[in-house]
Protein backbone atom coordinates (compact mmCIF):
# COMPACT_ATOMS: atom_id res chain seq x y z
CA UNK A 1 0.00 0.00 0.00
CA UNK A 2 1.37 3.37 -0.98
CA UNK A 3 0.04 4.99 2.15
CA UNK A 4 1.90 2.44 4.29
CA UNK A 5 5.29 3.28 2.83
CA UNK A 6 4.80 6.98 3.46
CA UNK A 7 3.68 6.68 7.01
CA UNK A 8 6.15 7.16 9.80
CA UNK A 9 4.39 7.89 13.07
CA UNK A 10 1.55 5.90 14.65
CA UNK A 11 -1.53 6.43 16.79
CA UNK A 12 -2.15 4.43 19.97
CA UNK A 13 -5.64 4.48 21.42
CA UNK A 14 -6.80 4.25 25.01
CA UNK A 15 -10.44 3.51 25.84
CA UNK A 16 -12.46 2.60 28.92
CA UNK A 17 -13.92 -0.92 28.82
CA UNK A 18 -16.67 -0.47 31.40
CA UNK A 19 -19.24 2.30 32.06
CA UNK A 20 -16.69 5.14 32.32
CA UNK A 21 -14.71 6.32 35.35
CA UNK A 22 -12.11 3.56 34.93
CA UNK A 23 -9.28 5.97 35.77
CA UNK A 24 -8.25 6.60 32.16
CA UNK A 25 -6.56 9.95 32.90
CA UNK A 26 -3.98 8.26 35.10
CA UNK A 27 -3.09 5.73 32.40
CA UNK A 28 -2.72 8.47 29.79
CA UNK A 29 -0.24 10.06 32.16
CA UNK A 30 1.55 6.72 32.60
CA UNK A 31 1.79 6.19 28.83
CA UNK A 32 3.02 9.73 28.22
CA UNK A 33 5.82 9.23 30.73
CA UNK A 34 7.35 6.72 28.27
CA UNK A 35 8.26 9.72 26.09
CA UNK A 36 7.10 8.23 22.79
CA UNK A 37 4.12 10.50 22.10
CA UNK A 38 4.11 14.11 20.96
CA UNK A 39 0.38 14.73 21.35
CA UNK A 40 -2.85 13.58 22.97
CA UNK A 41 -6.15 13.79 21.07
CA UNK A 42 -9.75 13.69 22.25
CA UNK A 43 -11.81 12.14 19.45
CA UNK A 44 -15.36 11.94 20.87
CA UNK A 45 -17.57 13.10 23.72
CA UNK A 46 -17.40 16.43 25.43
CA UNK A 47 -17.36 17.92 28.90
CA UNK A 48 -19.34 14.91 30.18
CA UNK A 49 -15.95 13.29 30.82
CA UNK A 50 -14.21 13.78 34.13
CA UNK A 51 -10.55 12.83 34.09
CA UNK A 52 -8.73 13.25 37.38
CA UNK A 53 -5.02 13.96 37.09
CA UNK A 54 -2.71 14.02 40.12
CA UNK A 55 0.41 16.07 39.98
CA UNK A 56 2.42 15.98 43.20
CA UNK A 57 0.02 17.33 45.80
CA UNK A 58 -2.13 19.01 43.14
CA UNK A 59 -5.22 17.59 41.46
CA UNK A 60 -6.68 18.71 38.16
CA UNK A 61 -10.01 17.44 36.83
CA UNK A 62 -10.21 17.79 33.06
CA UNK A 63 -13.56 17.57 31.28
CA UNK A 64 -12.69 18.79 27.81
CA UNK A 65 -8.93 19.56 27.79
CA UNK A 66 -7.03 16.39 26.78
CA UNK A 67 -5.25 14.61 29.63
CA UNK A 68 -1.75 15.40 28.39
CA UNK A 69 -2.18 18.93 29.76
CA UNK A 70 0.14 18.37 32.71
CA UNK A 71 3.07 17.33 30.50
CA UNK A 72 4.67 20.48 29.19
CA UNK A 73 5.85 19.33 25.74
CA UNK A 74 2.72 17.49 24.71
CA UNK A 75 0.44 18.93 22.03
CA UNK A 76 -3.27 18.77 22.86
CA UNK A 77 -5.82 18.07 20.14
CA UNK A 78 -9.62 18.34 20.17
CA UNK A 79 -11.00 16.42 17.21
CA UNK A 80 -13.97 16.97 14.92
CA UNK A 81 -16.27 14.46 16.65
CA UNK A 82 -15.92 16.26 19.99
CA UNK A 83 -18.74 18.51 21.18
CA UNK A 84 -16.95 21.52 22.58
CA UNK A 85 -18.25 23.32 25.65
CA UNK A 86 -16.38 26.60 25.34
CA UNK A 87 -17.23 27.74 28.87
CA UNK A 88 -15.71 24.58 30.39
CA UNK A 89 -12.75 24.90 28.06
CA UNK A 90 -11.96 28.45 29.19
CA UNK A 91 -12.48 27.52 32.84
CA UNK A 92 -10.06 24.58 32.59
CA UNK A 93 -7.47 26.61 30.72
CA UNK A 94 -7.64 29.16 33.57
CA UNK A 95 -7.27 26.44 36.23
CA UNK A 96 -4.28 25.00 34.39
CA UNK A 97 -2.69 28.43 34.19
CA UNK A 98 -3.01 28.72 37.97
CA UNK A 99 -1.19 25.40 38.26
CA UNK A 100 1.61 26.77 36.08
CA UNK A 101 0.60 25.29 32.71
CA UNK A 102 -0.12 27.65 29.84
CA UNK A 103 -1.74 25.23 27.41
CA UNK A 104 -3.03 27.72 24.80
CA UNK A 105 0.07 27.61 22.54
CA UNK A 106 -0.05 23.79 22.35
CA UNK A 107 -3.82 23.33 22.12
CA UNK A 108 -5.29 22.73 18.62
CA UNK A 109 -9.03 22.53 18.05
CA UNK A 110 -10.53 21.09 14.89
CA UNK A 111 -12.51 23.68 12.93
CA UNK A 112 -14.97 20.84 12.31
CA UNK A 113 -15.55 20.12 16.02
CA UNK A 114 -19.12 20.68 17.15
CA UNK A 115 -20.02 23.62 19.36
CA UNK A 116 -22.16 23.06 22.43
CA UNK A 117 -24.42 26.10 22.50
CA UNK A 118 -25.50 27.85 25.69
CA UNK A 119 -29.00 26.40 25.35
CA UNK A 120 -27.95 22.76 24.84
CA UNK A 121 -27.55 22.05 28.57
CA UNK A 122 -31.07 23.41 29.19
CA UNK A 123 -32.50 21.22 26.42
CA UNK A 124 -30.63 18.28 27.96
CA UNK A 125 -32.35 19.00 31.29
CA UNK A 126 -35.72 19.51 29.60
CA UNK A 127 -35.42 16.14 27.84
CA UNK A 128 -34.55 14.44 31.13
CA UNK A 129 -37.59 16.09 32.72
CA UNK A 130 -39.78 14.72 29.92
CA UNK A 131 -38.27 11.24 30.11
CA UNK A 132 -38.70 11.17 33.85
CA UNK A 133 -42.45 11.42 33.35
CA UNK A 134 -42.41 8.49 30.95
CA UNK A 135 -39.84 5.79 30.41
CA UNK A 136 -37.39 7.13 33.01
CA UNK A 137 -34.32 9.34 33.06
CA UNK A 138 -31.00 8.48 31.43
CA UNK A 139 -29.27 10.38 34.20
CA UNK A 140 -27.16 12.47 31.82
CA UNK A 141 -24.41 14.77 33.01
CA UNK A 142 -26.63 17.72 31.89
CA UNK A 143 -23.74 19.08 29.79
CA UNK A 144 -25.83 19.33 26.61
CA UNK A 145 -24.11 16.34 24.98
CA UNK A 146 -27.19 14.70 23.45
CA UNK A 147 -28.69 17.94 22.05
CA UNK A 148 -25.32 19.01 20.60
CA UNK A 149 -24.89 15.71 18.74
CA UNK A 150 -28.55 15.82 17.64
CA UNK A 151 -28.10 19.28 16.12
CA UNK A 152 -24.94 18.10 14.39
CA UNK A 153 -26.70 15.15 12.79
CA UNK A 154 -29.71 17.30 11.88
CA UNK A 155 -27.24 19.64 10.15
CA UNK A 156 -28.33 22.73 11.99
CA UNK A 157 -25.51 22.84 14.59
CA UNK A 158 -22.59 25.24 14.82
CA UNK A 159 -19.02 24.14 14.17
CA UNK A 160 -16.02 25.61 15.98
CA UNK A 161 -14.72 26.97 12.66
CA UNK A 162 -17.96 28.89 12.13
CA UNK A 163 -16.93 31.41 14.77
CA UNK A 164 -14.24 32.69 12.41
CA UNK A 165 -16.77 33.68 9.74
CA UNK A 166 -18.84 36.86 9.53
CA UNK A 167 -22.13 34.96 9.37
CA UNK A 168 -21.57 33.36 12.79
CA UNK A 169 -23.91 35.71 14.67
CA UNK A 170 -26.66 35.11 12.17
CA UNK A 171 -26.22 31.32 12.39
CA UNK A 172 -26.15 31.49 16.17
CA UNK A 173 -29.33 33.59 16.25
CA UNK A 174 -31.13 31.14 13.97
CA UNK A 175 -30.11 28.17 16.08
CA UNK A 176 -30.92 29.88 19.38
CA UNK A 177 -34.33 30.88 18.09
CA UNK A 178 -35.00 27.24 17.17
CA UNK A 179 -33.80 26.19 20.65
CA UNK A 180 -36.09 28.72 22.31
CA UNK A 181 -39.01 27.29 20.36
CA UNK A 182 -38.05 23.86 21.65
CA UNK A 183 -37.78 25.13 25.23
CA UNK A 184 -41.18 26.79 24.88
CA UNK A 185 -42.60 23.47 23.77
CA UNK A 186 -41.14 21.80 26.89
CA UNK A 187 -42.65 24.59 28.98
CA UNK A 188 -46.10 24.44 27.46
CA UNK A 189 -46.38 20.72 27.03
CA UNK A 190 -44.43 19.37 29.99
CA UNK A 191 -44.21 22.25 32.46
CA UNK A 192 -40.43 22.50 32.32
CA UNK A 193 -39.26 26.07 32.61
CA UNK A 194 -35.88 27.80 32.76
CA UNK A 195 -35.86 31.31 34.27
CA UNK A 196 -34.99 34.00 31.70
CA UNK A 197 -32.28 35.31 33.97
CA UNK A 198 -30.48 31.95 33.86
CA UNK A 199 -30.62 31.92 30.07
CA UNK A 200 -29.23 35.45 29.86
CA UNK A 201 -26.42 34.57 32.24
CA UNK A 202 -25.55 31.43 30.23
CA UNK A 203 -25.53 33.40 26.99
CA UNK A 204 -23.23 36.09 28.36
CA UNK A 205 -20.74 33.53 29.65
CA UNK A 206 -20.87 31.66 26.36
CA UNK A 207 -20.28 34.76 24.20
CA UNK A 208 -17.37 35.72 26.44
CA UNK A 209 -15.87 32.24 26.05
CA UNK A 210 -16.43 32.25 22.27
CA UNK A 211 -14.45 35.49 22.04
CA UNK A 212 -11.55 33.82 23.86
CA UNK A 213 -11.65 30.57 21.89
CA UNK A 214 -11.70 32.53 18.62
CA UNK A 215 -8.12 33.63 19.33
CA UNK A 216 -6.88 30.07 19.80
CA UNK A 217 -5.44 27.56 17.32
CA UNK A 218 -8.53 26.54 15.37
CA UNK A 219 -7.37 24.48 12.41
CA UNK A 220 -7.85 21.64 9.98
CA UNK A 221 -6.84 19.12 12.63
CA UNK A 222 -6.90 16.13 10.30
CA UNK A 223 -4.25 17.88 8.18
CA UNK A 224 -2.16 18.80 11.25
CA UNK A 225 -2.26 15.27 12.69
CA UNK A 226 -1.33 13.72 9.35
CA UNK A 227 1.54 16.20 9.15
CA UNK A 228 2.76 15.20 12.61
CA UNK A 229 2.53 11.53 11.66
CA UNK A 230 4.52 12.15 8.51
CA UNK A 231 7.17 13.86 10.66
CA UNK A 232 7.49 10.59 12.56
CA UNK A 233 5.59 11.77 15.62
CA UNK A 234 3.27 9.47 17.54
CA UNK A 235 -0.08 10.40 18.96
CA UNK A 236 -2.21 9.01 21.76
CA UNK A 237 -5.98 9.08 21.19
CA UNK A 238 -7.79 9.48 24.48
CA UNK A 239 -11.23 7.93 24.79
CA UNK A 240 -13.77 9.41 27.15
CA UNK A 241 -16.60 7.40 28.77
CA UNK A 242 -16.46 3.62 28.34
CA UNK A 243 -17.41 1.07 25.68
CA UNK A 244 -20.56 0.09 27.59
CA UNK A 245 -21.85 3.65 27.04
CA UNK A 246 -21.27 3.56 23.25
CA UNK A 247 -24.32 4.85 21.40
CA UNK A 248 -24.45 1.85 19.06
CA UNK A 249 -23.25 -0.98 21.27
CA UNK A 250 -24.26 0.09 24.78
CA UNK A 251 -27.60 -0.46 26.51
CA UNK A 252 -29.56 2.05 24.38
CA UNK A 253 -30.94 4.54 25.42
CA UNK A 254 -28.86 4.41 28.61
CA UNK A 255 -25.75 5.44 26.73
CA UNK A 256 -23.97 8.61 25.75
CA UNK A 257 -24.47 10.18 22.32
CA UNK A 258 -21.13 9.32 20.71
CA UNK A 259 -19.28 6.24 19.49
CA UNK A 260 -16.59 5.36 21.98
CA UNK A 261 -15.14 2.41 20.09
CA UNK A 262 -11.58 2.86 18.78
CA UNK A 263 -13.07 2.59 15.27
CA UNK A 264 -14.27 6.14 15.84
CA UNK A 265 -10.71 7.45 16.19
CA UNK A 266 -10.45 7.53 12.38
CA UNK A 267 -13.67 9.50 12.00
CA UNK A 268 -13.16 11.64 15.07
CA UNK A 269 -9.72 12.85 14.02
CA UNK A 270 -9.73 12.41 10.27
CA UNK A 271 -7.01 9.74 9.95
CA UNK A 272 -7.07 6.40 8.15
CA UNK A 273 -7.07 3.19 10.22
CA UNK A 274 -3.64 2.27 8.83
CA UNK A 275 -2.00 4.57 11.40
CA UNK A 276 -3.48 2.79 14.42
CA UNK A 277 -1.09 0.61 16.40
CA UNK A 278 -1.87 -0.46 19.99
CA UNK A 279 -5.26 -0.25 21.60
CA UNK A 280 -5.19 0.01 25.35
CA UNK A 281 -8.29 -0.87 27.35
CA UNK A 282 -8.78 0.36 30.88
CA UNK A 283 -10.72 -1.44 33.60
CA UNK A 284 -11.19 -0.90 37.29
CA UNK A 285 -10.76 -3.95 39.54
CA UNK A 286 -14.50 -3.68 40.24
CA UNK A 287 -17.24 -1.84 38.32
CA UNK A 288 -19.09 1.44 38.75
CA UNK A 289 -21.93 3.09 36.90
CA UNK A 290 -23.77 6.37 37.16
CA UNK A 291 -27.11 7.24 35.63
CA UNK A 292 -30.13 5.19 34.62
CA UNK A 293 -30.54 1.71 33.19
CA UNK A 294 -29.72 -1.73 34.51
CA UNK A 295 -26.40 -2.64 36.06
CA UNK A 296 -26.08 -6.44 36.07
CA UNK A 297 -23.09 -6.81 38.37
CA UNK A 298 -24.30 -4.29 40.98
CA UNK A 299 -23.50 -5.42 44.52
CA UNK A 300 -26.81 -6.41 46.05
CA UNK A 301 -25.78 -5.83 49.66
CA UNK A 302 -26.12 -2.08 50.22
CA UNK A 303 -23.58 -2.00 53.03
CA UNK A 304 -20.93 -3.66 50.89
CA UNK A 305 -21.72 -1.31 48.00
CA UNK A 306 -21.21 1.64 50.35
CA UNK A 307 -17.86 0.21 51.46
CA UNK A 308 -16.65 0.25 47.85
CA UNK A 309 -18.06 3.73 47.29
CA UNK A 310 -16.18 5.02 50.28
CA UNK A 311 -12.91 3.13 49.80
CA UNK A 312 -12.79 3.99 46.08
CA UNK A 313 -14.11 7.55 46.50
CA UNK A 314 -16.75 6.72 43.92
CA UNK A 315 -18.39 10.09 43.48
CA UNK A 316 -18.70 11.63 40.01
CA UNK A 317 -15.90 13.96 38.90
CA UNK A 318 -18.36 15.83 36.65
CA UNK A 319 -21.61 15.79 38.62
CA UNK A 320 -20.61 14.71 42.16
CA UNK A 321 -23.22 11.93 42.06
CA UNK A 322 -22.44 8.74 44.05
CA UNK A 323 -21.56 5.95 41.64
CA UNK A 324 -23.28 2.58 41.92
CA UNK A 325 -20.70 -0.14 42.64
CA UNK A 326 -20.60 -3.65 41.28
CA UNK A 327 -18.30 -6.66 41.06
CA UNK A 328 -16.01 -6.91 38.09
CA UNK A 329 -18.17 -7.92 35.13
CA UNK A 330 -16.09 -10.22 32.95
CA UNK A 331 -18.98 -10.94 30.62
CA UNK A 332 -19.26 -7.24 29.76
CA UNK A 333 -15.48 -6.79 29.60
CA UNK A 334 -15.06 -9.68 27.17
CA UNK A 335 -17.77 -8.12 25.00
CA UNK A 336 -16.01 -4.72 25.16
CA UNK A 337 -12.63 -6.28 24.29
CA UNK A 338 -14.10 -8.06 21.28
CA UNK A 339 -15.79 -4.88 20.04
CA UNK A 340 -12.78 -2.67 20.49
CA UNK A 341 -9.87 -4.86 19.48
CA UNK A 342 -7.99 -4.01 22.65
CA UNK A 343 -4.62 -5.76 22.87
CA UNK A 344 -3.30 -4.31 26.14
CA UNK A 345 -5.10 -3.80 29.44
CA UNK A 346 -4.60 -1.53 32.41
CA UNK A 347 -6.26 -2.53 35.67
CA UNK A 348 -6.90 0.39 38.04
CA UNK A 349 -7.76 0.72 41.71
CA UNK A 350 -6.61 -2.82 42.48
CA UNK A 351 -5.73 -1.62 45.99
CA UNK A 352 -9.45 -1.14 46.72
CA UNK A 353 -10.90 -4.26 48.30
CA UNK A 354 -12.91 -3.53 51.44
CA UNK A 355 -14.38 -7.04 51.75
CA UNK A 356 -12.93 -10.40 52.84
CA UNK A 357 -14.41 -12.11 49.81
CA UNK A 358 -15.15 -10.79 46.34
CA UNK A 359 -17.21 -11.96 43.40
CA UNK A 360 -16.70 -11.77 39.66
CA UNK A 361 -19.55 -11.92 37.17
CA UNK A 362 -18.73 -14.49 34.51
CA UNK A 363 -22.03 -14.88 32.69
CA UNK A 364 -25.54 -13.54 32.17
CA UNK A 365 -28.70 -15.62 32.27
CA UNK A 366 -31.90 -14.91 30.39
CA UNK A 367 -34.82 -16.98 31.68
CA UNK A 368 -32.41 -19.43 33.36
CA UNK A 369 -30.44 -19.97 30.14
CA UNK A 370 -26.81 -18.90 29.78
CA UNK A 371 -26.58 -16.04 27.33
CA UNK A 372 -23.90 -16.47 24.71
CA UNK A 373 -24.36 -13.07 23.12
CA UNK A 374 -24.46 -9.76 24.88
CA UNK A 375 -28.18 -9.03 25.38
CA UNK A 376 -30.00 -6.42 23.27
CA UNK A 377 -31.33 -4.89 26.48
CA UNK A 378 -29.77 -5.31 29.90
CA UNK A 379 -33.23 -5.60 31.49
CA UNK A 380 -33.64 -8.95 29.70
CA UNK A 381 -31.12 -10.43 32.13
CA UNK A 382 -32.77 -12.54 34.81
CA UNK A 383 -29.64 -13.55 36.70
CA UNK A 384 -25.86 -13.46 36.68
CA UNK A 385 -23.31 -16.21 37.24
CA UNK A 386 -20.55 -15.33 39.64
CA UNK A 387 -17.33 -16.82 40.95
CA UNK A 388 -16.01 -16.07 44.42
CA UNK A 389 -12.50 -15.55 45.66
CA UNK A 390 -10.59 -14.19 48.64
CA UNK A 391 -10.24 -10.44 49.00
CA UNK A 392 -6.94 -8.68 49.80
CA UNK A 393 -7.85 -5.76 52.06
CA UNK A 394 -5.95 -2.50 51.72
CA UNK A 395 -2.39 -3.82 52.03
CA UNK A 396 -1.58 -3.17 48.36
CA UNK A 397 -2.00 0.59 48.55
CA UNK A 398 0.82 2.30 46.65
CA UNK A 399 2.68 -0.96 45.91
CA UNK A 400 4.89 -0.52 42.86
CA UNK A 401 7.12 -3.56 43.27
CA UNK A 402 5.68 -6.74 41.82
CA UNK A 403 7.34 -8.78 44.58
CA UNK A 404 5.40 -6.90 47.27
CA UNK A 405 1.95 -7.61 45.86
CA UNK A 406 -0.21 -9.70 48.21
CA UNK A 407 -0.83 -13.32 47.12
CA UNK A 408 -4.63 -12.76 47.03
CA UNK A 409 -4.31 -9.87 44.59
CA UNK A 410 -1.83 -11.83 42.47
CA UNK A 411 -4.27 -14.70 42.43
CA UNK A 412 -7.01 -12.31 41.19
CA UNK A 413 -4.80 -10.94 38.43
CA UNK A 414 -3.74 -14.40 37.30
CA UNK A 415 -7.39 -15.42 37.33
CA UNK A 416 -8.26 -12.47 35.06
CA UNK A 417 -5.33 -13.26 32.78
CA UNK A 418 -6.67 -16.79 32.39
CA UNK A 419 -10.19 -15.56 31.69
CA UNK A 420 -9.01 -13.19 28.95
CA UNK A 421 -6.30 -15.40 27.44
CA UNK A 422 -8.30 -16.50 24.41
CA UNK A 423 -8.86 -12.86 23.40
CA UNK A 424 -5.13 -12.23 22.96
CA UNK A 425 -4.89 -9.40 25.44
CA UNK A 426 -2.05 -8.69 27.77
CA UNK A 427 -2.41 -7.04 31.19
CA UNK A 428 0.32 -4.41 31.18
CA UNK A 429 0.04 -2.70 34.51
CA UNK A 430 -1.99 -2.64 37.69
CA UNK A 431 -2.85 0.55 39.58
CA UNK A 432 -2.57 0.63 43.36
CA UNK A 433 -3.46 4.24 44.20
CA UNK A 434 -4.13 7.68 42.73
CA UNK A 435 -0.55 8.93 42.49
CA UNK A 436 1.49 8.69 39.29
CA UNK A 437 3.88 6.23 40.94
CA UNK A 438 1.16 3.93 42.32
CA UNK A 439 1.24 1.02 39.89
CA UNK A 440 3.17 -2.15 39.20
CA UNK A 441 3.96 -3.85 35.94
CA UNK A 442 3.52 -7.58 35.57
CA UNK A 443 6.80 -9.41 35.79
CA UNK A 444 6.39 -11.56 32.73
CA UNK A 445 5.07 -8.76 30.49
CA UNK A 446 6.88 -6.13 28.32
P1 LIG B 1 -15.56 9.58 31.87
O1 LIG B 1 -14.79 10.06 30.67
C1 LIG B 1 -19.18 7.95 33.61
C2 LIG B 1 -22.97 8.65 31.50
C3 LIG B 1 -23.96 9.51 32.26
C4 LIG B 1 -25.26 8.98 31.73
C5 LIG B 1 -24.95 8.66 30.27
C6 LIG B 1 -25.35 9.76 29.28
O2 LIG B 1 -15.35 10.34 33.13
O3 LIG B 1 -15.39 8.10 32.03
P2 LIG B 1 -24.39 12.19 28.72
O4 LIG B 1 -24.20 13.39 29.61
O5 LIG B 1 -23.16 11.68 28.08
O6 LIG B 1 -25.52 12.37 27.75
O7 LIG B 1 -24.90 11.04 29.74
O8 LIG B 1 -23.53 8.50 30.20
N1 LIG B 1 -21.62 9.25 31.33
C7 LIG B 1 -20.55 8.90 32.05
N2 LIG B 1 -20.43 8.06 33.10
N3 LIG B 1 -18.09 8.58 33.14
C8 LIG B 1 -18.19 9.38 32.06
O9 LIG B 1 -17.10 9.90 31.44
C9 LIG B 1 -19.47 9.62 31.50
N4 LIG B 1 -19.94 10.40 30.49
C10 LIG B 1 -21.25 10.15 30.38
O10 LIG B 1 -23.84 9.33 33.64
O11 LIG B 1 -25.59 7.76 32.36
MG1 LIG C 1 -16.74 10.33 34.77
Amino acid sequence: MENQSLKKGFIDVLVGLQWGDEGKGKNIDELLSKGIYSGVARFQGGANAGHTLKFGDKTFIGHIVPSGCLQKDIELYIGNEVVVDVVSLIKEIGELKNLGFDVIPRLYISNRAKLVSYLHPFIDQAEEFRRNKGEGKIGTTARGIGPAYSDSRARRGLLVGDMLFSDFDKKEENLSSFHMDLLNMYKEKYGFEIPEEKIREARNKWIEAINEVKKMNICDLSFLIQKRLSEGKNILAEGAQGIMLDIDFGDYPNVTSSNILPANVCLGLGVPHTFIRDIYGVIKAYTTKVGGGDFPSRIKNEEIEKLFQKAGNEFGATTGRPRMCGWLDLFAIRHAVRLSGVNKIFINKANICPTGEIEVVTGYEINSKDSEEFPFRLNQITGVKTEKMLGWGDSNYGVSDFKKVSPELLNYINYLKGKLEDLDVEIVSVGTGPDRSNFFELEDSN
Side-chain angles (χ1 to χ4, degrees):
M1 253 190 281
E2 207 177 322
N3 192 9
Q4 287 278 0
S5 59
L6 288 174
K7 87 176 185 199
K8 290 182 185 156
F10 57 79
I11 298 178
D12 283 346
V13 185
L14 180 137
V15 289
L17 293 177
Q18 295 162 317
W19 277 266
D21 303 323
E22 298 92 350
K24 298 177 285 291
K26 182 176 176 238
N27 304 121
I28 293 276
D29 204 44
E30 193 176 323
L31 285 174
L32 291 179
S33 70
K34 296 187 189 293
I36 57 171
Y37 305 101
S38 70
V40 176
R42 277 284 303 269
F43 62 94
Q44 48 71 233
N48 47 350
H51 297 167
T52 306
L53 302 169
K54 294 265 177 196
F55 176 64
D57 56 350
K58 293 172 187 154
T59 301
F60 171 72
I61 300 177
H63 299 287
I64 186 79
V65 171
S67 294
C69 52
L70 299 185
Q71 313 257 351
K72 289 198 160 149
D73 311 322
I74 297 290
E75 288 191 333
L76 308 171
Y77 308 124
I78 296 182
N80 54 277
E81 264 295 292
V82 175
V83 286
V84 181
D85 178 336
V86 286
V87 177
S88 295
L89 182 64
I90 294 299
K91 184 164 172 269
E92 284 171 43
I93 288 173
E95 286 168 8
L96 285 163
K97 192 145 200 192
N98 290 337
L99 291 172
F101 298 91
D102 179 13
V103 297
I104 291 179
R106 56 190 170 100
L107 174 68
Y108 297 87
I109 310 168
S110 165
N111 52 6
R112 291 167 195 275
K114 283 71 184 154
L115 263 181
V116 174
S117 94
Y118 63 96
L119 292 171
H120 281 146
F122 296 132
I123 299 170
D124 197 346
Q125 290 165 38
E127 233 335 73
E128 283 284 76
F129 187 85
R130 184 193 66 83
R131 280 191 207 106
N132 200 30
K133 293 188 163 190
E135 71 267 38
K137 290 208 275 193
I138 291 176
T140 72
T141 58
R143 296 297 188 109
I145 304 298
Y149 277 113
S150 309
D151 277 353
S152 158
R153 291 290 157 140
R155 293 158 294 176
R156 62 176 166 250
L158 299 168
L159 303 180
V160 167
D162 285 332
M163 62 175 90
L164 303 176
F165 287 78
S166 58
D167 60 359
F168 180 70
D169 291 351
K170 187 91 210 121
K171 277 182 183 265
E172 187 273 312
E173 261 171 47
N174 281 341
L175 184 66
S176 297
S177 146
F178 174 76
H179 286 166
M180 285 312 296
D181 288 346
L182 267 183
L183 285 171
N184 279 330
M185 186 271 291
Y186 282 107
K187 182 171 144 190
E188 277 158 29
K189 200 157 177 195
Y190 301 100
F192 178 86
E193 194 171 354
I194 301 278
E196 268 179 40
E197 178 57 29
K198 263 190 146 179
I199 293 184
R200 217 172 307 126
E201 212 178 283
R203 182 179 153 83
N204 290 342
K205 273 194 189 162
W206 189 78
I207 300 273
E208 226 175 89
I210 290 280
N211 288 331
E212 290 301 309
V213 174
K214 240 186 205 172
K215 297 181 238 161
M216 297 183 190
N217 302 314
I218 296 173
C219 63
D220 178 343
L221 190 71
S222 160
F223 180 80
L224 178 69
I225 290 184
Q226 300 212 26
K227 184 159 177 270
R228 292 290 182 263
L229 291 165
S230 71
E231 289 162 358
K233 306 223 165 100
N234 309 318
I235 287 160
L236 188 55
E238 171 185 21
Q241 290 83 52
I243 301 293
M244 302 312 294
L245 290 169
D246 185 278
I247 186 151
D248 281 296
F249 294 96
D251 183 34
Y252 192 90
N254 299 299
V255 292
T256 190
S257 294
S258 63
N259 282 112
I260 296 155
L261 288 179
N264 197 27
V265 168
C266 302
L267 297 172
L269 297 179
V271 290
H273 70 279
T274 42
F275 283 106
I276 294 182
R277 194 187 70 156
D278 285 327
I279 301 188
Y280 292 89
V282 183
I283 61 175
K284 229 169 356 195
Y286 50 99
T287 317
T288 59
K289 183 174 189 249
V290 262
D294 285 55
F295 182 22
S297 75
R298 185 168 187 181
I299 298 169
K300 289 191 190 83
N301 181 321
E302 246 178 73
E303 270 168 44
I304 297 184
E305 183 181 29
K306 286 227 163 74
L307 287 178
F308 272 91
Q309 237 166 35
K310 189 155 176 263
N313 191 24
E314 296 298 350
F315 298 91
T318 303
T319 59
R321 291 176 292 180
R323 297 174 183 143
M324 297 179 274
C325 295
W327 304 117
L328 188 84
D329 184 343
L330 266 176
F331 194 73
I333 287 172
R334 285 178 57 82
H335 177 59
V337 168
R338 283 192 299 258
L339 282 170
S340 54
V342 155
N343 60 330
K344 296 186 173 174
I345 286 191
F346 284 110
I347 303 178
N348 285 328
K349 288 192 166 177
N351 56 304
I352 307 290
C353 187
T355 49
E357 190 181 66
I358 59 157
E359 292 182 45
V360 175
V361 169
T362 53
Y364 292 170
E365 288 169 352
I366 299 180
N367 301 327
S368 311
K369 266 200 182 147
D370 288 353
S371 186
E372 220 182 305
E373 294 165 13
F374 202 79
F376 175 60
R377 292 182 178 173
L378 287 182
N379 66 9
Q380 291 173 272
I381 298 169
T382 48
V384 292
K385 291 174 102 167
T386 67
E387 287 177 0
K388 291 187 175 153
M389 63 193 73
L390 279 182
W392 48 90
D394 55 11
S395 63
N396 293 284
Y397 179 80
V399 167
S400 55
D401 180 356
F402 183 76
K403 293 184 188 69
K404 298 200 173 131
V405 181
S406 72
E408 294 82 5
L409 176 54
L410 269 190
N411 178 48
Y412 185 59
I413 288 161
N414 284 329
Y415 166 85
L416 298 182
K417 258 176 139 175
K419 291 282 186 186
L420 297 169
E421 208 164 26
D422 60 317
L423 297 176
D424 264 342
V425 287
E426 177 196 2
I427 298 171
V428 287
S429 102
V430 181
T432 53
D435 195 76
R436 266 183 183 176
S437 59
N438 296 156
F439 69 90
F440 62 86
E441 290 183 340
L442 295 195
E443 228 170 29
D444 56 352
S445 68
N446 289 330

